PDB file of all heavy atoms in Angstrom:
ATOM      1  N   ALA K   1       3.108   3.598   8.201  1.00 92.00           N
ATOM      2  CA  ALA K   1       1.822   3.769   7.517  1.00 92.00           C
ATOM      3  C   ALA K   1       0.670   3.943   8.489  1.00 92.00           C
ATOM      4  O   ALA K   1      -0.184   4.820   8.301  1.00 92.00           O
ATOM      5  CB  ALA K   1       1.556   2.584   6.590  1.00 92.00           C
ATOM      6  N   SER K   2       0.630   3.140   9.549  1.00 93.00           N
ATOM      7  CA  SER K   2      -0.493   3.253  10.484  1.00 93.00           C
ATOM      8  C   SER K   2      -0.424   4.570  11.264  1.00 93.00           C
ATOM      9  O   SER K   2      -1.456   5.177  11.557  1.00 93.00           O
ATOM     10  CB  SER K   2      -0.537   2.063  11.436  1.00 93.00           C
ATOM     11  OG  SER K   2       0.619   2.016  12.231  1.00 93.00           O
ATOM     12  N   GLY K   3       0.779   5.034  11.571  1.00 94.00           N
ATOM     13  CA  GLY K   3       0.926   6.314  12.259  1.00 94.00           C
ATOM     14  C   GLY K   3       0.486   7.484  11.400  1.00 94.00           C
ATOM     15  O   GLY K   3      -0.171   8.412  11.886  1.00 94.00           O
ATOM     16  N   ILE K   4       0.843   7.444  10.115  1.00 94.00           N
ATOM     17  CA  ILE K   4       0.415   8.492   9.175  1.00 94.00           C
ATOM     18  C   ILE K   4      -1.100   8.488   9.061  1.00 94.00           C
ATOM     19  O   ILE K   4      -1.748   9.534   9.122  1.00 94.00           O
ATOM     20  CB  ILE K   4       1.064   8.298   7.794  1.00 94.00           C
ATOM     21  CG1 ILE K   4       2.571   8.443   7.874  1.00 94.00           C
ATOM     22  CG2 ILE K   4       0.478   9.258   6.771  1.00 94.00           C
ATOM     23  CD1 ILE K   4       3.293   7.970   6.627  1.00 94.00           C
ATOM     24  N   ARG K   5      -1.667   7.294   8.891  1.00 96.00           N
ATOM     25  CA  ARG K   5      -3.122   7.166   8.774  1.00 96.00           C
ATOM     26  C   ARG K   5      -3.812   7.760  10.006  1.00 96.00           C
ATOM     27  O   ARG K   5      -4.733   8.565   9.890  1.00 96.00           O
ATOM     28  CB  ARG K   5      -3.515   5.705   8.597  1.00 96.00           C
ATOM     29  CG  ARG K   5      -5.024   5.480   8.492  1.00 96.00           C
ATOM     30  CD  ARG K   5      -5.366   4.002   8.398  1.00 96.00           C
ATOM     31  NE  ARG K   5      -4.806   3.385   7.228  1.00 96.00           N
ATOM     32  CZ  ARG K   5      -5.343   3.425   6.010  1.00 96.00           C
ATOM     33  NH1 ARG K   5      -6.463   4.103   5.814  1.00 96.00           N
ATOM     34  NH2 ARG K   5      -4.766   2.822   4.998  1.00 96.00           N
ATOM     35  N   ASP K   6      -3.354   7.362  11.181  1.00 96.00           N
ATOM     36  CA  ASP K   6      -3.974   7.839  12.422  1.00 96.00           C
ATOM     37  C   ASP K   6      -3.871   9.357  12.552  1.00 96.00           C
ATOM     38  O   ASP K   6      -4.848  10.026  12.904  1.00 96.00           O
ATOM     39  CB  ASP K   6      -3.330   7.169  13.634  1.00 96.00           C
ATOM     40  CG  ASP K   6      -3.635   5.684  13.726  1.00 96.00           C
ATOM     41  OD1 ASP K   6      -4.565   5.206  13.040  1.00 96.00           O
ATOM     42  OD2 ASP K   6      -2.933   4.988  14.494  1.00 96.00           O
ATOM     43  N   ALA K   7      -2.703   9.915  12.268  1.00 96.00           N
ATOM     44  CA  ALA K   7      -2.503  11.356  12.399  1.00 96.00           C
ATOM     45  C   ALA K   7      -3.379  12.130  11.417  1.00 96.00           C
ATOM     46  O   ALA K   7      -4.000  13.136  11.789  1.00 96.00           O
ATOM     47  CB  ALA K   7      -1.027  11.705  12.189  1.00 96.00           C
ATOM     48  N   LEU K   8      -3.446  11.676  10.169  1.00 97.00           N
ATOM     49  CA  LEU K   8      -4.263  12.370   9.173  1.00 97.00           C
ATOM     50  C   LEU K   8      -5.750  12.258   9.493  1.00 97.00           C
ATOM     51  O   LEU K   8      -6.494  13.231   9.365  1.00 97.00           O
ATOM     52  CB  LEU K   8      -3.959  11.836   7.772  1.00 97.00           C
ATOM     53  CG  LEU K   8      -2.591  12.202   7.215  1.00 97.00           C
ATOM     54  CD1 LEU K   8      -2.332  11.461   5.909  1.00 97.00           C
ATOM     55  CD2 LEU K   8      -2.450  13.702   7.015  1.00 97.00           C
ATOM     56  N   GLU K   9      -6.184  11.075   9.900  1.00 97.00           N
ATOM     57  CA  GLU K   9      -7.595  10.911  10.237  1.00 97.00           C
ATOM     58  C   GLU K   9      -7.978  11.759  11.456  1.00 97.00           C
ATOM     59  O   GLU K   9      -9.084  12.294  11.517  1.00 97.00           O
ATOM     60  CB  GLU K   9      -7.924   9.438  10.456  1.00 97.00           C
ATOM     61  CG  GLU K   9      -7.932   8.663   9.143  1.00 97.00           C
ATOM     62  CD  GLU K   9      -8.173   7.172   9.306  1.00 97.00           C
ATOM     63  OE1 GLU K   9      -8.023   6.640  10.437  1.00 97.00           O
ATOM     64  OE2 GLU K   9      -8.490   6.532   8.297  1.00 97.00           O
ATOM     65  N   THR K  10      -7.066  11.910  12.406  1.00 97.00           N
ATOM     66  CA  THR K  10      -7.322  12.777  13.557  1.00 97.00           C
ATOM     67  C   THR K  10      -7.467  14.221  13.110  1.00 97.00           C
ATOM     68  O   THR K  10      -8.406  14.922  13.536  1.00 97.00           O
ATOM     69  CB  THR K  10      -6.189  12.636  14.600  1.00 97.00           C
ATOM     70  OG1 THR K  10      -6.170  11.297  15.077  1.00 97.00           O
ATOM     71  CG2 THR K  10      -6.391  13.602  15.756  1.00 97.00           C
ATOM     72  N   MET K  11      -6.562  14.688  12.243  1.00 96.00           N
ATOM     73  CA  MET K  11      -6.647  16.068  11.754  1.00 96.00           C
ATOM     74  C   MET K  11      -7.953  16.281  10.986  1.00 96.00           C
ATOM     75  O   MET K  11      -8.604  17.321  11.131  1.00 96.00           O
ATOM     76  CB  MET K  11      -5.446  16.408  10.891  1.00 96.00           C
ATOM     77  CG  MET K  11      -4.159  16.480  11.692  1.00 96.00           C
ATOM     78  SD  MET K  11      -2.784  17.030  10.706  1.00 96.00           S
ATOM     79  CE  MET K  11      -2.888  18.775  11.052  1.00 96.00           C
ATOM     80  N   ALA K  12      -8.330  15.321  10.159  1.00 97.00           N
ATOM     81  CA  ALA K  12      -9.570  15.447   9.383  1.00 97.00           C
ATOM     82  C   ALA K  12     -10.799  15.449  10.297  1.00 97.00           C
ATOM     83  O   ALA K  12     -11.795  16.099   9.985  1.00 97.00           O
ATOM     84  CB  ALA K  12      -9.659  14.325   8.359  1.00 97.00           C
ATOM     85  N   SER K  13     -10.711  14.753  11.415  1.00 97.00           N
ATOM     86  CA  SER K  13     -11.868  14.703  12.318  1.00 97.00           C
ATOM     87  C   SER K  13     -12.093  16.023  13.054  1.00 97.00           C
ATOM     88  O   SER K  13     -13.211  16.295  13.492  1.00 97.00           O
ATOM     89  CB  SER K  13     -11.714  13.559  13.324  1.00 97.00           C
ATOM     90  OG  SER K  13     -10.718  13.862  14.280  1.00 97.00           O
ATOM     91  N   VAL K  14     -11.049  16.835  13.167  1.00 97.00           N
ATOM     92  CA  VAL K  14     -11.200  18.121  13.867  1.00 97.00           C
ATOM     93  C   VAL K  14     -11.281  19.316  12.913  1.00 97.00           C
ATOM     94  O   VAL K  14     -11.532  20.426  13.353  1.00 97.00           O
ATOM     95  CB  VAL K  14     -10.067  18.355  14.904  1.00 97.00           C
ATOM     96  CG1 VAL K  14     -10.102  17.294  15.979  1.00 97.00           C
ATOM     97  CG2 VAL K  14      -8.711  18.420  14.245  1.00 97.00           C
ATOM     98  N   ASP K  15     -11.062  19.078  11.624  1.00 97.00           N
ATOM     99  CA  ASP K  15     -11.131  20.172  10.647  1.00 97.00           C
ATOM    100  C   ASP K  15     -11.842  19.675   9.399  1.00 97.00           C
ATOM    101  O   ASP K  15     -11.299  18.866   8.645  1.00 97.00           O
ATOM    102  CB  ASP K  15      -9.724  20.665  10.304  1.00 97.00           C
ATOM    103  CG  ASP K  15      -9.725  21.971   9.526  1.00 97.00           C
ATOM    104  OD1 ASP K  15     -10.713  22.253   8.807  1.00 97.00           O
ATOM    105  OD2 ASP K  15      -8.731  22.718   9.628  1.00 97.00           O
ATOM    106  N   HIS K  16     -13.070  20.152   9.195  1.00 97.00           N
ATOM    107  CA  HIS K  16     -13.877  19.694   8.063  1.00 97.00           C
ATOM    108  C   HIS K  16     -13.265  20.058   6.709  1.00 97.00           C
ATOM    109  O   HIS K  16     -13.681  19.535   5.682  1.00 97.00           O
ATOM    110  CB  HIS K  16     -15.296  20.267   8.152  1.00 97.00           C
ATOM    111  CG  HIS K  16     -15.362  21.720   7.812  1.00 97.00           C
ATOM    112  ND1 HIS K  16     -15.055  22.709   8.722  1.00 97.00           N
ATOM    113  CD2 HIS K  16     -15.668  22.348   6.657  1.00 97.00           C
ATOM    114  CE1 HIS K  16     -15.180  23.888   8.142  1.00 97.00           C
ATOM    115  NE2 HIS K  16     -15.553  23.706   6.888  1.00 97.00           N
ATOM    116  N   ARG K  17     -12.273  20.942   6.686  1.00 98.00           N
ATOM    117  CA  ARG K  17     -11.649  21.345   5.428  1.00 98.00           C
ATOM    118  C   ARG K  17     -10.643  20.309   4.927  1.00 98.00           C
ATOM    119  O   ARG K  17     -10.176  20.397   3.801  1.00 98.00           O
ATOM    120  CB  ARG K  17     -10.965  22.705   5.593  1.00 98.00           C
ATOM    121  CG  ARG K  17     -11.940  23.815   5.968  1.00 98.00           C
ATOM    122  CD  ARG K  17     -11.231  25.093   6.294  1.00 98.00           C
ATOM    123  NE  ARG K  17     -10.281  24.875   7.375  1.00 98.00           N
ATOM    124  CZ  ARG K  17      -9.262  25.686   7.659  1.00 98.00           C
ATOM    125  NH1 ARG K  17      -9.083  26.776   6.952  1.00 98.00           N
ATOM    126  NH2 ARG K  17      -8.460  25.417   8.654  1.00 98.00           N
ATOM    127  N   ILE K  18     -10.314  19.332   5.760  1.00 98.00           N
ATOM    128  CA  ILE K  18      -9.366  18.281   5.392  1.00 98.00           C
ATOM    129  C   ILE K  18     -10.138  16.992   5.161  1.00 98.00           C
ATOM    130  O   ILE K  18     -10.897  16.541   6.023  1.00 98.00           O
ATOM    131  CB  ILE K  18      -8.310  18.080   6.499  1.00 98.00           C
ATOM    132  CG1 ILE K  18      -7.533  19.378   6.735  1.00 98.00           C
ATOM    133  CG2 ILE K  18      -7.373  16.926   6.142  1.00 98.00           C
ATOM    134  CD1 ILE K  18      -6.644  19.356   7.965  1.00 98.00           C
ATOM    135  N   ARG K  19      -9.951  16.404   3.992  1.00 97.00           N
ATOM    136  CA  ARG K  19     -10.611  15.140   3.658  1.00 97.00           C
ATOM    137  C   ARG K  19      -9.542  14.115   3.319  1.00 97.00           C
ATOM    138  O   ARG K  19      -8.659  14.379   2.504  1.00 97.00           O
ATOM    139  CB  ARG K  19     -11.539  15.320   2.455  1.00 97.00           C
ATOM    140  CG  ARG K  19     -12.152  14.009   2.017  1.00 97.00           C
ATOM    141  CD  ARG K  19     -13.044  14.187   0.838  1.00 97.00           C
ATOM    142  NE  ARG K  19     -13.438  12.896   0.320  1.00 97.00           N
ATOM    143  CZ  ARG K  19     -14.509  12.701  -0.414  1.00 97.00           C
ATOM    144  NH1 ARG K  19     -15.282  13.720  -0.707  1.00 97.00           N
ATOM    145  NH2 ARG K  19     -14.788  11.514  -0.872  1.00 97.00           N
ATOM    146  N   CYS K  20      -9.651  12.953   3.924  1.00 97.00           N
ATOM    147  CA  CYS K  20      -8.694  11.879   3.688  1.00 97.00           C
ATOM    148  C   CYS K  20      -9.405  10.674   3.089  1.00 97.00           C
ATOM    149  O   CYS K  20     -10.323  10.127   3.708  1.00 97.00           O
ATOM    150  CB  CYS K  20      -8.021  11.465   4.992  1.00 97.00           C
ATOM    151  SG  CYS K  20      -7.069  12.762   5.786  1.00 97.00           S
ATOM    152  N   ASP K  21      -9.010  10.289   1.912  1.00 97.00           N
ATOM    153  CA  ASP K  21      -9.455   9.047   1.283  1.00 97.00           C
ATOM    154  C   ASP K  21      -8.233   8.147   1.236  1.00 97.00           C
ATOM    155  O   ASP K  21      -7.504   8.108   0.242  1.00 97.00           O
ATOM    156  CB  ASP K  21     -10.015   9.310  -0.115  1.00 97.00           C
ATOM    157  CG  ASP K  21     -11.308  10.114  -0.075  1.00 97.00           C
ATOM    158  OD1 ASP K  21     -11.962  10.151   0.994  1.00 97.00           O
ATOM    159  OD2 ASP K  21     -11.666  10.709  -1.093  1.00 97.00           O
ATOM    160  N   LEU K  22      -7.991   7.464   2.345  1.00 97.00           N
ATOM    161  CA  LEU K  22      -6.733   6.746   2.545  1.00 97.00           C
ATOM    162  C   LEU K  22      -6.868   5.281   2.143  1.00 97.00           C
ATOM    163  O   LEU K  22      -6.948   4.376   2.982  1.00 97.00           O
ATOM    164  CB  LEU K  22      -6.285   6.896   4.006  1.00 97.00           C
ATOM    165  CG  LEU K  22      -6.079   8.346   4.457  1.00 97.00           C
ATOM    166  CD1 LEU K  22      -5.702   8.402   5.927  1.00 97.00           C
ATOM    167  CD2 LEU K  22      -5.038   9.040   3.591  1.00 97.00           C
ATOM    168  N   HIS K  23      -6.898   5.101   0.851  1.00 96.00           N
ATOM    169  CA  HIS K  23      -6.967   3.765   0.250  1.00 96.00           C
ATOM    170  C   HIS K  23      -6.446   3.891  -1.176  1.00 96.00           C
ATOM    171  O   HIS K  23      -6.230   4.998  -1.678  1.00 96.00           O
ATOM    172  CB  HIS K  23      -8.394   3.221   0.275  1.00 96.00           C
ATOM    173  CG  HIS K  23      -9.394   4.170  -0.326  1.00 96.00           C
ATOM    174  ND1 HIS K  23      -9.623   4.271  -1.682  1.00 96.00           N
ATOM    175  CD2 HIS K  23     -10.200   5.092   0.255  1.00 96.00           C
ATOM    176  CE1 HIS K  23     -10.533   5.198  -1.910  1.00 96.00           C
ATOM    177  NE2 HIS K  23     -10.899   5.723  -0.749  1.00 96.00           N
ATOM    178  N   ILE K  24      -6.239   2.777  -1.819  1.00 96.00           N
ATOM    179  CA  ILE K  24      -5.832   2.821  -3.226  1.00 96.00           C
ATOM    180  C   ILE K  24      -7.001   3.384  -4.027  1.00 96.00           C
ATOM    181  O   ILE K  24      -8.133   2.910  -3.911  1.00 96.00           O
ATOM    182  CB  ILE K  24      -5.427   1.425  -3.734  1.00 96.00           C
ATOM    183  CG1 ILE K  24      -4.170   0.962  -2.992  1.00 96.00           C
ATOM    184  CG2 ILE K  24      -5.200   1.436  -5.246  1.00 96.00           C
ATOM    185  CD1 ILE K  24      -3.764  -0.470  -3.277  1.00 96.00           C
ATOM    186  N   ILE K  25      -6.733   4.413  -4.810  1.00 97.00           N
ATOM    187  CA  ILE K  25      -7.773   5.037  -5.624  1.00 97.00           C
ATOM    188  C   ILE K  25      -7.879   4.254  -6.932  1.00 97.00           C
ATOM    189  O   ILE K  25      -6.895   4.133  -7.665  1.00 97.00           O
ATOM    190  CB  ILE K  25      -7.430   6.523  -5.908  1.00 97.00           C
ATOM    191  CG1 ILE K  25      -7.149   7.288  -4.596  1.00 97.00           C
ATOM    192  CG2 ILE K  25      -8.529   7.182  -6.730  1.00 97.00           C
ATOM    193  CD1 ILE K  25      -8.280   7.305  -3.603  1.00 97.00           C
ATOM    194  N   PRO K  26      -9.062   3.711  -7.234  1.00 97.00           N
ATOM    195  CA  PRO K  26      -9.214   2.960  -8.487  1.00 97.00           C
ATOM    196  C   PRO K  26      -8.936   3.850  -9.703  1.00 97.00           C
ATOM    197  O   PRO K  26      -9.210   5.059  -9.678  1.00 97.00           O
ATOM    198  CB  PRO K  26     -10.682   2.521  -8.472  1.00 97.00           C
ATOM    199  CG  PRO K  26     -11.127   2.658  -7.056  1.00 97.00           C
ATOM    200  CD  PRO K  26     -10.289   3.740  -6.447  1.00 97.00           C
ATOM    201  N   ASN K  27      -8.389   3.264 -10.735  1.00 96.00           N
ATOM    202  CA  ASN K  27      -8.013   4.024 -11.937  1.00 96.00           C
ATOM    203  C   ASN K  27      -9.149   4.898 -12.454  1.00 96.00           C
ATOM    204  O   ASN K  27      -8.919   6.039 -12.852  1.00 96.00           O
ATOM    205  CB  ASN K  27      -7.544   3.082 -13.044  1.00 96.00           C
ATOM    206  CG  ASN K  27      -6.187   2.489 -12.755  1.00 96.00           C
ATOM    207  OD1 ASN K  27      -5.430   3.004 -11.931  1.00 96.00           O
ATOM    208  ND2 ASN K  27      -5.874   1.394 -13.410  1.00 96.00           N
ATOM    209  N   GLU K  28     -10.365   4.394 -12.457  1.00 96.00           N
ATOM    210  CA  GLU K  28     -11.482   5.165 -13.006  1.00 96.00           C
ATOM    211  C   GLU K  28     -11.877   6.352 -12.120  1.00 96.00           C
ATOM    212  O   GLU K  28     -12.609   7.235 -12.558  1.00 96.00           O
ATOM    213  CB  GLU K  28     -12.695   4.265 -13.267  1.00 96.00           C
ATOM    214  CG  GLU K  28     -13.294   3.611 -12.050  1.00 96.00           C
ATOM    215  CD  GLU K  28     -12.615   2.297 -11.643  1.00 96.00           C
ATOM    216  OE1 GLU K  28     -11.610   1.889 -12.255  1.00 96.00           O
ATOM    217  OE2 GLU K  28     -13.115   1.690 -10.681  1.00 96.00           O
ATOM    218  N   ARG K  29     -11.390   6.416 -10.872  1.00 97.00           N
ATOM    219  CA  ARG K  29     -11.701   7.533  -9.978  1.00 97.00           C
ATOM    220  C   ARG K  29     -10.602   8.588  -9.917  1.00 97.00           C
ATOM    221  O   ARG K  29     -10.803   9.682  -9.386  1.00 97.00           O
ATOM    222  CB  ARG K  29     -11.952   7.019  -8.555  1.00 97.00           C
ATOM    223  CG  ARG K  29     -13.191   6.196  -8.378  1.00 97.00           C
ATOM    224  CD  ARG K  29     -14.392   6.997  -8.125  1.00 97.00           C
ATOM    225  NE  ARG K  29     -14.281   7.765  -6.879  1.00 97.00           N
ATOM    226  CZ  ARG K  29     -15.199   8.580  -6.458  1.00 97.00           C
ATOM    227  NH1 ARG K  29     -16.297   8.754  -7.140  1.00 97.00           N
ATOM    228  NH2 ARG K  29     -15.043   9.257  -5.341  1.00 97.00           N
TER     229      ARG K  29
END
């Protein structure tokens, strides 16, 4: 999990077209 998080956040930091909301999404959202 931490490796996936780190890799995705790195990709999102270099490409504005990628957005990561890496948390549990509340039902209402």
Side-chain angles (χ1 to χ4, degrees):
S2 63
I4 296 167
R5 179 183 298 278
D6 292 345
L8 290 172
E9 288 177 343
T10 297
M11 291 185 93
S13 72
V14 298
D15 192 333
H16 74 278
R17 299 173 303 161
I18 300 170
R19 175 181 171 158
C20 298
D21 293 340
L22 301 177
H23 53 82
I24 295 173
I25 306 301
N27 288 341
E28 63 275 4
R29 292 274 298 178

